[in-house]
Amino acid sequence: MDRGRLAGRRIVVNVISIFELFKIGIGPSSSHTVGPMKAAHAFVGNLRDAGLMDRLAEVQVILFGSLAWTGKGHATDKAVILGLAGELPETVDPDRADAIVAEIDERGRLRLGGGPGIAFLRDKHLIFDGETLCEKHPNTLAFKAFDADGEVLREERWCSVGGGFVVPEDEVGAPPIATNVAVPYDFRSGRQLLDLGRQSGKSIAEMVMANELVLRPREEVDMHLSRIVDTMMLCVDRGLSTEGELPGGLSVRRRARRIFDKVEAGRGVNVRRANEPMDYVSIFAIAVNEENAAGGRVVTAPTNGAAGVVPAVLRYYRDFCEGANEAGMHTFLLTATAIGGLFKMNASISGAEVGCQGEVGVACSMAAAGLAAALGGTNAQIENAAEIGMEHHLGMTCDPVGGLVQIPCIERNAFGAVKAINAASLALHGDGEHHVSLDKVIATMRQTGLDMQSKYKETSLGGLAVNLVEC
C-alpha cells in the first residue's frame, strides 16, 4: 500500500494538525462523501503506481454498512464515481460535479483518473451491500480491478472513519505511522494540555501553532488559516443569498435567506430583540448546512454534518464581539484544533461510530473553546468551555431522515452553535474550576457511543428517520 496516498491520514505520532481537522471539501457528508471520494481517488492512484492501468478493463466498488444504508442520501455513489474519475473534494467544482457524473452515466464509460476509458454501469459496478457486516468500521468500501479476462488485478478495502479521514481496513485502530518528527507540545489528553500550558506559560493556540511550525513554515500555516476562514465566511454568504429546494426528495426548502431578510428588515425599522445575535447565529449555521445539503463547498469542522457550528460561532465573533480581528479568528481555529484532536484521538468524530454527539457535539465543544480563547479566556476556562459544550450533547443520536443531511441535521447545527456561545459565556464567567473534566466527558462520550444501539448511528433505521414517516 502506498502510504503517501492515505488522504487525510495522520502521519505524525503526536498531534492532529489543523490541516487535517479543517479540510475544504463538498457536501453533504465528510464520512459518506468526502472520505469515499478520497478512497476511490487513492485506489486509482495505487493502480497507476503499480503499473496496472494498461491492463485494466473493469472496476467494481462495494459499499457496506452505513455507506450502504444511507449512501444514496449522502451522495456516496456520486462521490465514488468522481473519485474514480480523478476528482478530489478540495478541488472538484461543486457546480460541475453533477454534470460530470451524469455524462459518465449517459455514456456508460468512465475515464479512470482522467486516463484510460473503461465501461462503467452504475448498477453493475457500484453495489450497495446493506447485509454484510464489517467488523472493523461501519463505513467500509471494497474496490476490485479486473483485466479483460476477468482476473483480479488488485483488491483494496478502505474505511472512512469520520471527518474525511480514510485508512485501509487493515489499519483501522492501528497507531499512526511513526516519523522522526517530534513536536514541542505532545499532548493526548486535556490534562496534559493544561499541564503543558502551565509549564510553558503559553496559551493553547500558541502551543498548537508551535507544533504546526515544526511541520510547515509560518507563511503556509497562516495561509491555511486564512483560507479556512475565507471559505467558511463565503459559505455563510452563499447560504444567505440562495433560495430553492434542497435535493433528495424530502421537499425541504432553504430557509436561511428568508429568515435573514426578515431579521434584517426588523433592524431596518429599529425593531431590536434581546436575542437578536442568537437569531443571526442560528441563521449562519442553517445557511452553511443548507449549502452542505446541496453539495456545495464547505469546511469539515470536524465533519460535514456538523459543518455549520464552527463557522456560525466564528461569524458571531467577527460580527458581534468587540475587538474581533483576524488574529482572534486564527486563535479561535488553532484552539478548536486542539479540542477536536482530543476527541479524534480518544473517542470518535464519526456519526456512524458514536452518533451525532461525535459530530455536532464535538463541533460545539470545539467552537466553545475557540470562542473562549478568542475572547481572552485562560487555558482553564477554555477547557471548561469545551467540556460544557460536549456535556450537553451526550447521547445525541444520528438519525437522518431518508439518509439525507437535512432533517434534523440543519437545525441541529443551529442549536449546537447557540450552545457553544452559551458554554463559552458560562466558562468565561468562572475561574476555570469545575467538577467534570474534558477528559472525563470525552471518555463518557466514547462509552455512550459504544453503548448506543447501531440503528441510531447513521443508518436511518431508527429515531426520526423512521418515526417521521410513520407519523
Side-chain angles (χ1 to χ4, degrees):
M1 181 66 62
D2 180 358
R3 294 179 184 271
R5 294 192 179 277
L6 303 190
R9 179 82 188 278
R10 178 167 55 96
I11 62 171
V12 178
V13 173
N14 319 68
V15 296
I16 291 178
S17 167
I18 192 169
F19 285 77
E20 297 170 297
L21 201 63
F22 290 104
K23 297 183 291 294
I24 297 172
I26 62 171
S29 171
S30 50
S31 59
H32 289 56
T33 313
V34 174
M37 193 187 305
K38 288 183 175 181
H41 188 277
F43 175 63
V44 174
N46 289 338
L47 289 174
R48 182 178 293 110
D49 291 346
L52 298 173
M53 297 296 275
D54 290 342
R55 299 169 55 195
L56 185 68
E58 188 177 11
V59 295
Q60 183 186 71
V61 185
I62 305 176
L63 307 174
F64 299 102
S66 181
L67 295 180
W69 293 321
T70 66
K72 291 186 178 179
H74 286 92
T76 305
D77 45 356
K78 167 184 166 182
V80 168
I81 294 170
L82 287 170
L84 292 174
E87 301 287 349
L88 280 170
E90 298 86 0
T91 54
V92 65
D93 182 352
D95 295 328
R96 288 197 64 248
D98 286 336
I100 293 172
V101 174
E103 182 180 354
I104 292 169
D105 285 338
E106 183 180 346
R107 296 178 59 193
R109 292 191 66 79
L110 167 67
R111 291 186 62 203
L112 211 63
I118 60 172
F120 188 86
L121 303 174
R122 192 189 295 229
D123 292 341
K124 176 182 178 181
H125 297 110
L126 187 52
I127 300 169
F128 290 81
D129 182 350
E131 301 296 327
T132 303
L133 298 178
C134 298
E135 295 183 1
K136 288 295 189 74
H137 198 278
N139 295 334
T140 300
L141 310 85
F143 297 88
K144 287 184 180 181
F146 304 89
D147 64 15
D149 296 323
E151 294 294 322
V152 176
L153 296 174
R154 189 178 183 95
E155 188 172 358
E156 295 178 6
R157 291 171 68 92
W158 289 74
C159 295
S160 179
V161 296
F165 291 80
V166 292
V167 296
E169 185 184 45
D170 60 2
E171 296 184 17
V172 171
I177 304 167
T179 71
N180 294 324
V181 178
V183 295
Y185 301 101
D186 179 2
F187 61 89
R188 294 190 66 86
S189 70
R191 172 54 58 192
Q192 290 176 344
L193 185 59
L194 291 176
D195 287 345
L196 288 169
R198 280 191 289 267
Q199 294 163 13
S200 66
K202 292 184 178 295
S203 69
I204 292 174
E206 289 171 336
M207 290 187 285
V208 172
M209 176 60 84
N211 288 345
E212 295 287 347
L213 295 181
V214 172
L215 308 174
R216 299 174 178 86
R218 178 69 183 244
E219 183 181 76
E220 187 176 345
V221 177
D222 286 341
M223 187 179 300
H224 183 70
L225 286 166
S226 294
R227 187 180 178 214
I228 292 302
V229 171
D230 290 345
T231 303
M232 286 181 171
M233 296 304 104
L234 285 171
C235 187
V236 172
D237 291 338
R238 285 197 310 270
L240 293 179
S241 62
T242 308
E243 295 181 297
E245 188 173 293
L246 295 173
L250 291 181
S251 300
V252 174
R253 297 194 62 81
R254 289 179 182 248
R255 293 179 292 166
R257 179 173 177 174
R258 175 171 50 84
I259 301 173
F260 179 72
D261 288 346
K262 186 174 182 180
V263 174
E264 285 284 280
R267 292 185 70 180
V269 295
N270 204 29
V271 176
R272 307 295 293 271
R273 296 178 299 278
N275 64 323
E276 184 177 278
M278 294 302 100
D279 286 343
Y280 278 104
V281 170
S282 296
I283 296 166
F284 298 154
I286 289 171
V288 171
N289 281 86
E290 287 178 345
E291 277 295 299
N292 178 64
R297 177 81 66 206
V298 298
V299 177
T300 60
T303 68
N304 282 33
V309 177
V310 170
V313 179
L314 193 63
R315 183 77 162 233
Y316 166 82
Y317 166 73
R318 192 196 76 173
D319 291 357
F320 291 95
C321 295
E322 186 177 353
N325 54 34
E326 183 181 36
M329 297 177 88
H330 288 190
T331 292
F332 185 118
L333 293 178
L334 289 165
T335 305
T337 297
I339 303 305
L342 290 175
F343 280 100
K344 180 75 173 65
M345 288 186 286
N346 298 303
S348 175
I349 57 172
S350 169
E353 283 191 296
V354 295
C356 197
Q357 59 175 356
E359 298 202 28
V360 169
V362 173
C364 176
S365 183
M366 291 168 59
L371 180 60
L375 294 177
T378 66
N379 288 349
Q381 289 173 320
I382 293 166
E383 185 263 359
N384 188 13
E387 181 277 322
I388 294 171
M390 172 51 72
E391 183 178 340
H392 302 291
H393 280 90
L394 290 173
M396 182 175 283
T397 60
C398 183
D399 50 352
V401 176
L404 299 167
V405 191
Q406 297 178 18
I407 302 172
C409 316
I410 294 173
E411 285 184 355
R412 189 167 284 174
N413 275 257
F415 278 82
V418 171
K419 282 185 180 181
I421 294 170
N422 195 26
S425 179
L426 287 172
L428 290 172
H429 280 98
D431 59 6
E433 293 292 326
H434 54 110
H435 290 286
V436 180
S437 69
L438 177 60
D439 292 330
K440 288 181 179 178
V441 84
I442 291 175
T444 303
M445 187 271 267
R446 179 179 180 275
Q447 188 58 53
T448 302
L450 292 173
D451 294 341
M452 191 181 293
Q453 292 185 44
S454 61
K455 68 180 181 179
Y456 297 118
K457 294 189 282 190
E458 207 164 3
T459 63
S460 287
L461 299 176
L464 284 174
V466 295
N467 286 322
L468 180 64
V469 177
E470 291 176 357
C471 295

